[in-house]
Amino acid sequence: MNTNNLSTSVIFPIGEKLETDRFKGTVWLKMLTPADSALPIGNVTFEPGCRNNWHKHAGGQILLVTGGRGYYQEWDKPVQELHPGDVVTIAADVKHWHGAAKDSWFSHLAIEVHPEIGPATWLEPVADDDYNQLK
Ligand code: MN
């Protein structure tokens, strides 16, 4: 992998490439606390152009942006551009997606809050036409 423009944004280990059809593009994941713990925290690293499908978390999620440039969008709301230091609080059952800008790596910590309530529900991909319009 080419990590030339990633080197300044890595704080936590990048982990392993995630084999999943819930993302478009290549994503890396390192769990920092166990997935079955009371507060699962994962370091998620998106290659440029990579984003996840629309989804919702039964108990909610918090994103702490640690590197690069990316986006967060809730259903029927404007896209928010994200930079290191940004915090996104996602309420339970709110449909949303997050991912990298076309020209930038992007990394965030994903904190699964109230995991005992249930898992995430994965939905349809973000429409290419919508993603490709983002600057
Ligand atoms: Mn999410």
mmCIF file with all atom_site columns, all heavy atoms in Angstrom, residues 90-117:
data_model
loop_
_atom_site.group_PDB
_atom_site.id
_atom_site.type_symbol
_atom_site.label_atom_id
_atom_site.label_alt_id
_atom_site.label_comp_id
_atom_site.label_asym_id
_atom_site.label_entity_id
_atom_site.label_seq_id
_atom_site.pdbx_PDB_ins_code
_atom_site.Cartn_x
_atom_site.Cartn_y
_atom_site.Cartn_z
_atom_site.occupancy
_atom_site.B_iso_or_equiv
_atom_site.pdbx_formal_charge
_atom_site.auth_seq_id
_atom_site.auth_comp_id
_atom_site.auth_asym_id
_atom_site.auth_atom_id
_atom_site.pdbx_PDB_model_num
ATOM 1   N N   . ILE A 1 90  ? -23.159 10.102 17.110 1.00 0.00 ? 90  ILE A N   1
ATOM 2   C CA  . ILE A 1 90  ? -24.209 9.515  16.281 1.00 0.00 ? 90  ILE A CA  1
ATOM 3   C C   . ILE A 1 90  ? -25.226 8.846  17.198 1.00 0.00 ? 90  ILE A C   1
ATOM 4   O O   . ILE A 1 90  ? -24.879 7.923  17.950 1.00 0.00 ? 90  ILE A O   1
ATOM 5   C CB  . ILE A 1 90  ? -23.604 8.490  15.296 1.00 0.00 ? 90  ILE A CB  1
ATOM 6   C CG1 . ILE A 1 90  ? -22.464 9.143  14.489 1.00 0.00 ? 90  ILE A CG1 1
ATOM 7   C CG2 . ILE A 1 90  ? -24.683 7.926  14.382 1.00 0.00 ? 90  ILE A CG2 1
ATOM 8   C CD1 . ILE A 1 90  ? -21.586 8.143  13.750 1.00 0.00 ? 90  ILE A CD1 1
ATOM 9   N N   . ALA A 1 91  ? -26.447 9.329  17.137 1.00 0.00 ? 91  ALA A N   1
ATOM 10  C CA  . ALA A 1 91  ? -27.483 8.775  18.009 1.00 0.00 ? 91  ALA A CA  1
ATOM 11  C C   . ALA A 1 91  ? -27.883 7.371  17.553 1.00 0.00 ? 91  ALA A C   1
ATOM 12  O O   . ALA A 1 91  ? -27.662 6.987  16.397 1.00 0.00 ? 91  ALA A O   1
ATOM 13  C CB  . ALA A 1 91  ? -28.700 9.696  18.002 1.00 0.00 ? 91  ALA A CB  1
ATOM 14  N N   . ALA A 1 92  ? -28.459 6.627  18.457 1.00 0.00 ? 92  ALA A N   1
ATOM 15  C CA  . ALA A 1 92  ? -28.912 5.266  18.154 1.00 0.00 ? 92  ALA A CA  1
ATOM 16  C C   . ALA A 1 92  ? -29.895 5.287  16.990 1.00 0.00 ? 92  ALA A C   1
ATOM 17  O O   . ALA A 1 92  ? -30.758 6.174  16.895 1.00 0.00 ? 92  ALA A O   1
ATOM 18  C CB  . ALA A 1 92  ? -29.576 4.661  19.385 1.00 0.00 ? 92  ALA A CB  1
ATOM 19  N N   . ASP A 1 93  ? -29.719 4.329  16.082 1.00 0.00 ? 93  ASP A N   1
ATOM 20  C CA  . ASP A 1 93  ? -30.660 4.085  14.979 1.00 0.00 ? 93  ASP A CA  1
ATOM 21  C C   . ASP A 1 93  ? -30.733 5.208  13.951 1.00 0.00 ? 93  ASP A C   1
ATOM 22  O O   . ASP A 1 93  ? -31.684 5.253  13.168 1.00 0.00 ? 93  ASP A O   1
ATOM 23  C CB  . ASP A 1 93  ? -32.069 3.795  15.523 1.00 0.00 ? 93  ASP A CB  1
ATOM 24  C CG  . ASP A 1 93  ? -32.171 2.359  16.007 1.00 0.00 ? 93  ASP A CG  1
ATOM 25  O OD1 . ASP A 1 93  ? -31.504 1.477  15.431 1.00 0.00 ? 93  ASP A OD1 1
ATOM 26  O OD2 . ASP A 1 93  ? -32.924 2.127  16.975 1.00 0.00 ? 93  ASP A OD2 1
ATOM 27  N N   . VAL A 1 94  ? -29.766 6.115  13.933 1.00 0.00 ? 94  VAL A N   1
ATOM 28  C CA  . VAL A 1 94  ? -29.718 7.162  12.906 1.00 0.00 ? 94  VAL A CA  1
ATOM 29  C C   . VAL A 1 94  ? -28.947 6.634  11.700 1.00 0.00 ? 94  VAL A C   1
ATOM 30  O O   . VAL A 1 94  ? -27.788 6.195  11.820 1.00 0.00 ? 94  VAL A O   1
ATOM 31  C CB  . VAL A 1 94  ? -29.042 8.437  13.451 1.00 0.00 ? 94  VAL A CB  1
ATOM 32  C CG1 . VAL A 1 94  ? -28.741 9.421  12.323 1.00 0.00 ? 94  VAL A CG1 1
ATOM 33  C CG2 . VAL A 1 94  ? -29.933 9.091  14.496 1.00 0.00 ? 94  VAL A CG2 1
ATOM 34  N N   . LYS A 1 95  ? -29.594 6.669  10.535 1.00 0.00 ? 95  LYS A N   1
ATOM 35  C CA  . LYS A 1 95  ? -28.975 6.173  9.299  1.00 0.00 ? 95  LYS A CA  1
ATOM 36  C C   . LYS A 1 95  ? -27.909 7.157  8.828  1.00 0.00 ? 95  LYS A C   1
ATOM 37  O O   . LYS A 1 95  ? -28.175 8.354  8.732  1.00 0.00 ? 95  LYS A O   1
ATOM 38  C CB  . LYS A 1 95  ? -30.071 6.002  8.232  1.00 0.00 ? 95  LYS A CB  1
ATOM 39  C CG  . LYS A 1 95  ? -29.594 5.410  6.921  1.00 0.00 ? 95  LYS A CG  1
ATOM 40  C CD  . LYS A 1 95  ? -30.798 5.165  6.000  1.00 0.00 ? 95  LYS A CD  1
ATOM 41  C CE  . LYS A 1 95  ? -30.358 4.703  4.627  1.00 0.00 ? 95  LYS A CE  1
ATOM 42  N NZ  . LYS A 1 95  ? -31.531 4.440  3.741  1.00 0.00 ? 95  LYS A NZ  1
ATOM 43  N N   . HIS A 1 96  ? -26.704 6.649  8.534  1.00 0.00 ? 96  HIS A N   1
ATOM 44  C CA  . HIS A 1 96  ? -25.580 7.522  8.195  1.00 0.00 ? 96  HIS A CA  1
ATOM 45  C C   . HIS A 1 96  ? -24.491 6.735  7.475  1.00 0.00 ? 96  HIS A C   1
ATOM 46  O O   . HIS A 1 96  ? -24.539 5.509  7.412  1.00 0.00 ? 96  HIS A O   1
ATOM 47  C CB  . HIS A 1 96  ? -24.999 8.135  9.478  1.00 0.00 ? 96  HIS A CB  1
ATOM 48  C CG  . HIS A 1 96  ? -24.320 7.102  10.343 1.00 0.00 ? 96  HIS A CG  1
ATOM 49  N ND1 . HIS A 1 96  ? -25.015 6.271  11.193 1.00 0.00 ? 96  HIS A ND1 1
ATOM 50  C CD2 . HIS A 1 96  ? -23.011 6.728  10.454 1.00 0.00 ? 96  HIS A CD2 1
ATOM 51  C CE1 . HIS A 1 96  ? -24.179 5.445  11.793 1.00 0.00 ? 96  HIS A CE1 1
ATOM 52  N NE2 . HIS A 1 96  ? -22.944 5.689  11.357 1.00 0.00 ? 96  HIS A NE2 1
ATOM 53  N N   . TRP A 1 97  ? -23.508 7.491  6.954  1.00 0.00 ? 97  TRP A N   1
ATOM 54  C CA  . TRP A 1 97  ? -22.286 6.862  6.436  1.00 0.00 ? 97  TRP A CA  1
ATOM 55  C C   . TRP A 1 97  ? -21.110 7.759  6.792  1.00 0.00 ? 97  TRP A C   1
ATOM 56  O O   . TRP A 1 97  ? -21.288 8.947  7.094  1.00 0.00 ? 97  TRP A O   1
ATOM 57  C CB  . TRP A 1 97  ? -22.352 6.626  4.917  1.00 0.00 ? 97  TRP A CB  1
ATOM 58  C CG  . TRP A 1 97  ? -22.362 7.871  4.080  1.00 0.00 ? 97  TRP A CG  1
ATOM 59  C CD1 . TRP A 1 97  ? -23.474 8.587  3.701  1.00 0.00 ? 97  TRP A CD1 1
ATOM 60  C CD2 . TRP A 1 97  ? -21.231 8.562  3.511  1.00 0.00 ? 97  TRP A CD2 1
ATOM 61  N NE1 . TRP A 1 97  ? -23.099 9.674  2.945  1.00 0.00 ? 97  TRP A NE1 1
ATOM 62  C CE2 . TRP A 1 97  ? -21.733 9.682  2.806  1.00 0.00 ? 97  TRP A CE2 1
ATOM 63  C CE3 . TRP A 1 97  ? -19.859 8.342  3.525  1.00 0.00 ? 97  TRP A CE3 1
ATOM 64  C CZ2 . TRP A 1 97  ? -20.892 10.573 2.128  1.00 0.00 ? 97  TRP A CZ2 1
ATOM 65  C CZ3 . TRP A 1 97  ? -19.023 9.231  2.846  1.00 0.00 ? 97  TRP A CZ3 1
ATOM 66  C CH2 . TRP A 1 97  ? -19.546 10.328 2.167  1.00 0.00 ? 97  TRP A CH2 1
ATOM 67  N N   . HIS A 1 98  ? -19.892 7.179  6.714  1.00 0.00 ? 98  HIS A N   1
ATOM 68  C CA  . HIS A 1 98  ? -18.670 7.962  6.894  1.00 0.00 ? 98  HIS A CA  1
ATOM 69  C C   . HIS A 1 98  ? -17.577 7.385  6.012  1.00 0.00 ? 98  HIS A C   1
ATOM 70  O O   . HIS A 1 98  ? -17.602 6.194  5.680  1.00 0.00 ? 98  HIS A O   1
ATOM 71  C CB  . HIS A 1 98  ? -18.224 8.060  8.356  1.00 0.00 ? 98  HIS A CB  1
ATOM 72  C CG  . HIS A 1 98  ? -18.605 6.926  9.276  1.00 0.00 ? 98  HIS A CG  1
ATOM 73  N ND1 . HIS A 1 98  ? -17.691 6.105  9.876  1.00 0.00 ? 98  HIS A ND1 1
ATOM 74  C CD2 . HIS A 1 98  ? -19.820 6.498  9.699  1.00 0.00 ? 98  HIS A CD2 1
ATOM 75  C CE1 . HIS A 1 98  ? -18.313 5.235  10.653 1.00 0.00 ? 98  HIS A CE1 1
ATOM 76  N NE2 . HIS A 1 98  ? -19.613 5.420  10.558 1.00 0.00 ? 98  HIS A NE2 1
ATOM 77  N N   . GLY A 1 99  ? -16.619 8.243  5.637  1.00 0.00 ? 99  GLY A N   1
ATOM 78  C CA  . GLY A 1 99  ? -15.535 7.754  4.798  1.00 0.00 ? 99  GLY A CA  1
ATOM 79  C C   . GLY A 1 99  ? -14.603 8.866  4.378  1.00 0.00 ? 99  GLY A C   1
ATOM 80  O O   . GLY A 1 99  ? -14.720 10.014 4.822  1.00 0.00 ? 99  GLY A O   1
ATOM 81  N N   . ALA A 1 100 ? -13.652 8.489  3.521  1.00 0.00 ? 100 ALA A N   1
ATOM 82  C CA  . ALA A 1 100 ? -12.588 9.394  3.092  1.00 0.00 ? 100 ALA A CA  1
ATOM 83  C C   . ALA A 1 100 ? -13.036 10.304 1.949  1.00 0.00 ? 100 ALA A C   1
ATOM 84  O O   . ALA A 1 100 ? -13.964 9.975  1.206  1.00 0.00 ? 100 ALA A O   1
ATOM 85  C CB  . ALA A 1 100 ? -11.383 8.576  2.630  1.00 0.00 ? 100 ALA A CB  1
ATOM 86  N N   . ALA A 1 101 ? -12.324 11.404 1.799  1.00 0.00 ? 101 ALA A N   1
ATOM 87  C CA  . ALA A 1 101 ? -12.437 12.206 0.588  1.00 0.00 ? 101 ALA A CA  1
ATOM 88  C C   . ALA A 1 101 ? -11.743 11.464 -0.556 1.00 0.00 ? 101 ALA A C   1
ATOM 89  O O   . ALA A 1 101 ? -10.953 10.544 -0.331 1.00 0.00 ? 101 ALA A O   1
ATOM 90  C CB  . ALA A 1 101 ? -11.803 13.578 0.803  1.00 0.00 ? 101 ALA A CB  1
ATOM 91  N N   . LYS A 1 102 ? -12.053 11.883 -1.789 1.00 0.00 ? 102 LYS A N   1
ATOM 92  C CA  . LYS A 1 102 ? -11.474 11.197 -2.959 1.00 0.00 ? 102 LYS A CA  1
ATOM 93  C C   . LYS A 1 102 ? -9.954  11.285 -2.987 1.00 0.00 ? 102 LYS A C   1
ATOM 94  O O   . LYS A 1 102 ? -9.288  10.389 -3.487 1.00 0.00 ? 102 LYS A O   1
ATOM 95  C CB  . LYS A 1 102 ? -12.016 11.823 -4.255 1.00 0.00 ? 102 LYS A CB  1
ATOM 96  C CG  . LYS A 1 102 ? -13.433 11.443 -4.595 1.00 0.00 ? 102 LYS A CG  1
ATOM 97  C CD  . LYS A 1 102 ? -13.809 11.927 -5.977 1.00 0.00 ? 102 LYS A CD  1
ATOM 98  C CE  . LYS A 1 102 ? -14.100 13.410 -6.020 1.00 0.00 ? 102 LYS A CE  1
ATOM 99  N NZ  . LYS A 1 102 ? -15.437 13.755 -5.508 1.00 0.00 ? 102 LYS A NZ  1
ATOM 100 N N   . ASP A 1 103 ? -9.427  12.394 -2.454 1.00 0.00 ? 103 ASP A N   1
ATOM 101 C CA  . ASP A 1 103 ? -7.999  12.681 -2.601 1.00 0.00 ? 103 ASP A CA  1
ATOM 102 C C   . ASP A 1 103 ? -7.236  12.568 -1.287 1.00 0.00 ? 103 ASP A C   1
ATOM 103 O O   . ASP A 1 103 ? -6.140  13.089 -1.161 1.00 0.00 ? 103 ASP A O   1
ATOM 104 C CB  . ASP A 1 103 ? -7.826  14.099 -3.164 1.00 0.00 ? 103 ASP A CB  1
ATOM 105 C CG  . ASP A 1 103 ? -8.412  15.154 -2.238 1.00 0.00 ? 103 ASP A CG  1
ATOM 106 O OD1 . ASP A 1 103 ? -9.085  14.781 -1.246 1.00 0.00 ? 103 ASP A OD1 1
ATOM 107 O OD2 . ASP A 1 103 ? -8.212  16.350 -2.504 1.00 0.00 ? 103 ASP A OD2 1
ATOM 108 N N   . SER A 1 104 ? -7.823  11.906 -0.300 1.00 0.00 ? 104 SER A N   1
ATOM 109 C CA  . SER A 1 104 ? -7.154  11.871 0.996  1.00 0.00 ? 104 SER A CA  1
ATOM 110 C C   . SER A 1 104 ? -7.424  10.572 1.743  1.00 0.00 ? 104 SER A C   1
ATOM 111 O O   . SER A 1 104 ? -8.548  10.054 1.725  1.00 0.00 ? 104 SER A O   1
ATOM 112 C CB  . SER A 1 104 ? -7.641  13.030 1.870  1.00 0.00 ? 104 SER A CB  1
ATOM 113 O OG  . SER A 1 104 ? -7.039  12.972 3.151  1.00 0.00 ? 104 SER A OG  1
ATOM 114 N N   . TRP A 1 105 ? -6.407  10.094 2.406  1.00 0.00 ? 105 TRP A N   1
ATOM 115 C CA  . TRP A 1 105 ? -6.626  9.075  3.425  1.00 0.00 ? 105 TRP A CA  1
ATOM 116 C C   . TRP A 1 105 ? -7.448  9.695  4.533  1.00 0.00 ? 105 TRP A C   1
ATOM 117 O O   . TRP A 1 105 ? -7.503  10.926 4.679  1.00 0.00 ? 105 TRP A O   1
ATOM 118 C CB  . TRP A 1 105 ? -5.282  8.595  3.977  1.00 0.00 ? 105 TRP A CB  1
ATOM 119 C CG  . TRP A 1 105 ? -4.531  7.714  3.038  1.00 0.00 ? 105 TRP A CG  1
ATOM 120 C CD1 . TRP A 1 105 ? -3.809  8.119  1.949  1.00 0.00 ? 105 TRP A CD1 1
ATOM 121 C CD2 . TRP A 1 105 ? -4.436  6.297  3.084  1.00 0.00 ? 105 TRP A CD2 1
ATOM 122 N NE1 . TRP A 1 105 ? -3.267  7.027  1.313  1.00 0.00 ? 105 TRP A NE1 1
ATOM 123 C CE2 . TRP A 1 105 ? -3.631  5.894  1.996  1.00 0.00 ? 105 TRP A CE2 1
ATOM 124 C CE3 . TRP A 1 105 ? -4.940  5.317  3.942  1.00 0.00 ? 105 TRP A CE3 1
ATOM 125 C CZ2 . TRP A 1 105 ? -3.323  4.566  1.745  1.00 0.00 ? 105 TRP A CZ2 1
ATOM 126 C CZ3 . TRP A 1 105 ? -4.634  3.997  3.698  1.00 0.00 ? 105 TRP A CZ3 1
ATOM 127 C CH2 . TRP A 1 105 ? -3.832  3.625  2.608  1.00 0.00 ? 105 TRP A CH2 1
ATOM 128 N N   . PHE A 1 106 ? -8.063  8.839  5.340  1.00 0.00 ? 106 PHE A N   1
ATOM 129 C CA  . PHE A 1 106 ? -8.903  9.329  6.430  1.00 0.00 ? 106 PHE A CA  1
ATOM 130 C C   . PHE A 1 106 ? -8.891  8.295  7.538  1.00 0.00 ? 106 PHE A C   1
ATOM 131 O O   . PHE A 1 106 ? -9.020  7.097  7.268  1.00 0.00 ? 106 PHE A O   1
ATOM 132 C CB  . PHE A 1 106 ? -10.327 9.542  5.919  1.00 0.00 ? 106 PHE A CB  1
ATOM 133 C CG  . PHE A 1 106 ? -11.310 10.024 6.940  1.00 0.00 ? 106 PHE A CG  1
ATOM 134 C CD1 . PHE A 1 106 ? -11.110 11.226 7.598  1.00 0.00 ? 106 PHE A CD1 1
ATOM 135 C CD2 . PHE A 1 106 ? -12.452 9.292  7.237  1.00 0.00 ? 106 PHE A CD2 1
ATOM 136 C CE1 . PHE A 1 106 ? -12.015 11.680 8.544  1.00 0.00 ? 106 PHE A CE1 1
ATOM 137 C CE2 . PHE A 1 106 ? -13.368 9.746  8.178  1.00 0.00 ? 106 PHE A CE2 1
ATOM 138 C CZ  . PHE A 1 106 ? -13.151 10.934 8.824  1.00 0.00 ? 106 PHE A CZ  1
ATOM 139 N N   . SER A 1 107 ? -8.692  8.762  8.756  1.00 0.00 ? 107 SER A N   1
ATOM 140 C CA  . SER A 1 107 ? -8.738  7.801  9.860  1.00 0.00 ? 107 SER A CA  1
ATOM 141 C C   . SER A 1 107 ? -9.517  8.377  11.029 1.00 0.00 ? 107 SER A C   1
ATOM 142 O O   . SER A 1 107 ? -9.477  9.585  11.295 1.00 0.00 ? 107 SER A O   1
ATOM 143 C CB  . SER A 1 107 ? -7.331  7.381  10.293 1.00 0.00 ? 107 SER A CB  1
ATOM 144 O OG  . SER A 1 107 ? -6.534  8.505  10.568 1.00 0.00 ? 107 SER A OG  1
ATOM 145 N N   . HIS A 1 108 ? -10.279 7.508  11.660 1.00 0.00 ? 108 HIS A N   1
ATOM 146 C CA  . HIS A 1 108 ? -11.001 7.891  12.874 1.00 0.00 ? 108 HIS A CA  1
ATOM 147 C C   . HIS A 1 108 ? -11.043 6.715  13.833 1.00 0.00 ? 108 HIS A C   1
ATOM 148 O O   . HIS A 1 108 ? -10.934 5.557  13.422 1.00 0.00 ? 108 HIS A O   1
ATOM 149 C CB  . HIS A 1 108 ? -12.405 8.421  12.571 1.00 0.00 ? 108 HIS A CB  1
ATOM 150 C CG  . HIS A 1 108 ? -13.369 7.440  11.961 1.00 0.00 ? 108 HIS A CG  1
ATOM 151 N ND1 . HIS A 1 108 ? -13.619 6.191  12.470 1.00 0.00 ? 108 HIS A ND1 1
ATOM 152 C CD2 . HIS A 1 108 ? -14.163 7.541  10.862 1.00 0.00 ? 108 HIS A CD2 1
ATOM 153 C CE1 . HIS A 1 108 ? -14.525 5.574  11.737 1.00 0.00 ? 108 HIS A CE1 1
ATOM 154 N NE2 . HIS A 1 108 ? -14.858 6.353  10.731 1.00 0.00 ? 108 HIS A NE2 1
ATOM 155 N N   . LEU A 1 109 ? -11.179 7.039  15.106 1.00 0.00 ? 109 LEU A N   1
ATOM 156 C CA  . LEU A 1 109 ? -11.536 6.022  16.086 1.00 0.00 ? 109 LEU A CA  1
ATOM 157 C C   . LEU A 1 109 ? -13.046 5.904  16.063 1.00 0.00 ? 109 LEU A C   1
ATOM 158 O O   . LEU A 1 109 ? -13.755 6.924  16.030 1.00 0.00 ? 109 LEU A O   1
ATOM 159 C CB  . LEU A 1 109 ? -11.064 6.426  17.486 1.00 0.00 ? 109 LEU A CB  1
ATOM 160 C CG  . LEU A 1 109 ? -9.560  6.629  17.653 1.00 0.00 ? 109 LEU A CG  1
ATOM 161 C CD1 . LEU A 1 109 ? -9.243  6.929  19.121 1.00 0.00 ? 109 LEU A CD1 1
ATOM 162 C CD2 . LEU A 1 109 ? -8.780  5.409  17.184 1.00 0.00 ? 109 LEU A CD2 1
ATOM 163 N N   . ALA A 1 110 ? -13.541 4.678  16.034 1.00 0.00 ? 110 ALA A N   1
ATOM 164 C CA  . ALA A 1 110 ? -14.980 4.425  16.083 1.00 0.00 ? 110 ALA A CA  1
ATOM 165 C C   . ALA A 1 110 ? -15.278 3.764  17.424 1.00 0.00 ? 110 ALA A C   1
ATOM 166 O O   . ALA A 1 110 ? -14.770 2.677  17.714 1.00 0.00 ? 110 ALA A O   1
ATOM 167 C CB  . ALA A 1 110 ? -15.396 3.515  14.940 1.00 0.00 ? 110 ALA A CB  1
ATOM 168 N N   . ILE A 1 111 ? -16.069 4.456  18.225 1.00 0.00 ? 111 ILE A N   1
ATOM 169 C CA  . ILE A 1 111 ? -16.432 3.954  19.552 1.00 0.00 ? 111 ILE A CA  1
ATOM 170 C C   . ILE A 1 111 ? -17.887 3.499  19.495 1.00 0.00 ? 111 ILE A C   1
ATOM 171 O O   . ILE A 1 111 ? -18.784 4.298  19.184 1.00 0.00 ? 111 ILE A O   1
ATOM 172 C CB  . ILE A 1 111 ? -16.266 5.052  20.619 1.00 0.00 ? 111 ILE A CB  1
ATOM 173 C CG1 . ILE A 1 111 ? -14.832 5.589  20.590 1.00 0.00 ? 111 ILE A CG1 1
ATOM 174 C CG2 . ILE A 1 111 ? -16.637 4.515  22.000 1.00 0.00 ? 111 ILE A CG2 1
ATOM 175 C CD1 . ILE A 1 111 ? -14.611 6.802  21.476 1.00 0.00 ? 111 ILE A CD1 1
ATOM 176 N N   . GLU A 1 112 ? -18.083 2.221  19.747 1.00 0.00 ? 112 GLU A N   1
ATOM 177 C CA  . GLU A 1 112 ? -19.440 1.661  19.732 1.00 0.00 ? 112 GLU A CA  1
ATOM 178 C C   . GLU A 1 112 ? -20.010 1.812  21.125 1.00 0.00 ? 112 GLU A C   1
ATOM 179 O O   . GLU A 1 112 ? -19.566 1.144  22.067 1.00 0.00 ? 112 GLU A O   1
ATOM 180 C CB  . GLU A 1 112 ? -19.380 0.188  19.310 1.00 0.00 ? 112 GLU A CB  1
ATOM 181 C CG  . GLU A 1 112 ? -20.739 -0.458 19.115 1.00 0.00 ? 112 GLU A CG  1
ATOM 182 C CD  . GLU A 1 112 ? -20.622 -1.954 18.824 1.00 0.00 ? 112 GLU A CD  1
ATOM 183 O OE1 . GLU A 1 112 ? -19.488 -2.436 18.623 1.00 0.00 ? 112 GLU A OE1 1
ATOM 184 O OE2 . GLU A 1 112 ? -21.667 -2.617 18.815 1.00 0.00 ? 112 GLU A OE2 1
ATOM 185 N N   . VAL A 1 113 ? -20.976 2.707  21.279 1.00 0.00 ? 113 VAL A N   1
ATOM 186 C CA  . VAL A 1 113 ? -21.538 2.933  22.608 1.00 0.00 ? 113 VAL A CA  1
ATOM 187 C C   . VAL A 1 113 ? -22.753 2.026  22.822 1.00 0.00 ? 113 VAL A C   1
ATOM 188 O O   . VAL A 1 113 ? -23.464 1.690  21.871 1.00 0.00 ? 113 VAL A O   1
ATOM 189 C CB  . VAL A 1 113 ? -21.886 4.422  22.835 1.00 0.00 ? 113 VAL A CB  1
ATOM 190 C CG1 . VAL A 1 113 ? -20.604 5.258  22.827 1.00 0.00 ? 113 VAL A CG1 1
ATOM 191 C CG2 . VAL A 1 113 ? -22.845 4.945  21.788 1.00 0.00 ? 113 VAL A CG2 1
ATOM 192 N N   . HIS A 1 114 ? -22.957 1.632  24.034 1.00 0.00 ? 114 HIS A N   1
ATOM 193 C CA  . HIS A 1 114 ? -24.050 0.714  24.390 1.00 0.00 ? 114 HIS A CA  1
ATOM 194 C C   . HIS A 1 114 ? -24.099 -0.507 23.478 1.00 0.00 ? 114 HIS A C   1
ATOM 195 O O   . HIS A 1 114 ? -25.154 -0.842 22.920 1.00 0.00 ? 114 HIS A O   1
ATOM 196 C CB  . HIS A 1 114 ? -25.402 1.444  24.344 1.00 0.00 ? 114 HIS A CB  1
ATOM 197 C CG  . HIS A 1 114 ? -25.445 2.675  25.199 1.00 0.00 ? 114 HIS A CG  1
ATOM 198 N ND1 . HIS A 1 114 ? -25.282 2.643  26.571 1.00 0.00 ? 114 HIS A ND1 1
ATOM 199 C CD2 . HIS A 1 114 ? -25.588 3.979  24.883 1.00 0.00 ? 114 HIS A CD2 1
ATOM 200 C CE1 . HIS A 1 114 ? -25.347 3.869  27.053 1.00 0.00 ? 114 HIS A CE1 1
ATOM 201 N NE2 . HIS A 1 114 ? -25.527 4.708  26.053 1.00 0.00 ? 114 HIS A NE2 1
ATOM 202 N N   . PRO A 1 115 ? -22.979 -1.212 23.328 1.00 0.00 ? 115 PRO A N   1
ATOM 203 C CA  . PRO A 1 115 ? -22.973 -2.364 22.419 1.00 0.00 ? 115 PRO A CA  1
ATOM 204 C C   . PRO A 1 115 ? -23.933 -3.466 22.859 1.00 0.00 ? 115 PRO A C   1
ATOM 205 O O   . PRO A 1 115 ? -24.331 -4.295 22.047 1.00 0.00 ? 115 PRO A O   1
ATOM 206 C CB  . PRO A 1 115 ? -21.515 -2.850 22.466 1.00 0.00 ? 115 PRO A CB  1
ATOM 207 C CG  . PRO A 1 115 ? -20.999 -2.366 23.773 1.00 0.00 ? 115 PRO A CG  1
ATOM 208 C CD  . PRO A 1 115 ? -21.692 -1.044 24.018 1.00 0.00 ? 115 PRO A CD  1
ATOM 209 N N   . GLU A 1 116 ? -24.301 -3.448 24.147 1.00 0.00 ? 116 GLU A N   1
ATOM 210 C CA  . GLU A 1 116 ? -25.198 -4.506 24.652 1.00 0.00 ? 116 GLU A CA  1
ATOM 211 C C   . GLU A 1 116 ? -26.590 -4.404 24.022 1.00 0.00 ? 116 GLU A C   1
ATOM 212 O O   . GLU A 1 116 ? -27.352 -5.369 24.042 1.00 0.00 ? 116 GLU A O   1
ATOM 213 C CB  . GLU A 1 116 ? -25.288 -4.435 26.186 1.00 0.00 ? 116 GLU A CB  1
ATOM 214 C CG  . GLU A 1 116 ? -26.033 -3.231 26.750 1.00 0.00 ? 116 GLU A CG  1
ATOM 215 C CD  . GLU A 1 116 ? -25.205 -1.935 26.777 1.00 0.00 ? 116 GLU A CD  1
ATOM 216 O OE1 . GLU A 1 116 ? -24.045 -1.942 26.315 1.00 0.00 ? 116 GLU A OE1 1
ATOM 217 O OE2 . GLU A 1 116 ? -25.736 -0.921 27.262 1.00 0.00 ? 116 GLU A OE2 1
ATOM 218 N N   . ILE A 1 117 ? -26.912 -3.243 23.449 1.00 0.00 ? 117 ILE A N   1
ATOM 219 C CA  . ILE A 1 117 ? -28.252 -3.074 22.851 1.00 0.00 ? 117 ILE A CA  1
ATOM 220 C C   . ILE A 1 117 ? -28.378 -3.872 21.557 1.00 0.00 ? 117 ILE A C   1
ATOM 221 O O   . ILE A 1 117 ? -29.446 -4.391 21.233 1.00 0.00 ? 117 ILE A O   1
ATOM 222 C CB  . ILE A 1 117 ? -28.548 -1.577 22.613 1.00 0.00 ? 117 ILE A CB  1
ATOM 223 C CG1 . ILE A 1 117 ? -28.627 -0.850 23.964 1.00 0.00 ? 117 ILE A CG1 1
ATOM 224 C CG2 . ILE A 1 117 ? -29.845 -1.388 21.824 1.00 0.00 ? 117 ILE A CG2 1
ATOM 225 C CD1 . ILE A 1 117 ? -28.859 0.640  23.840 1.00 0.00 ? 117 ILE A CD1 1
#
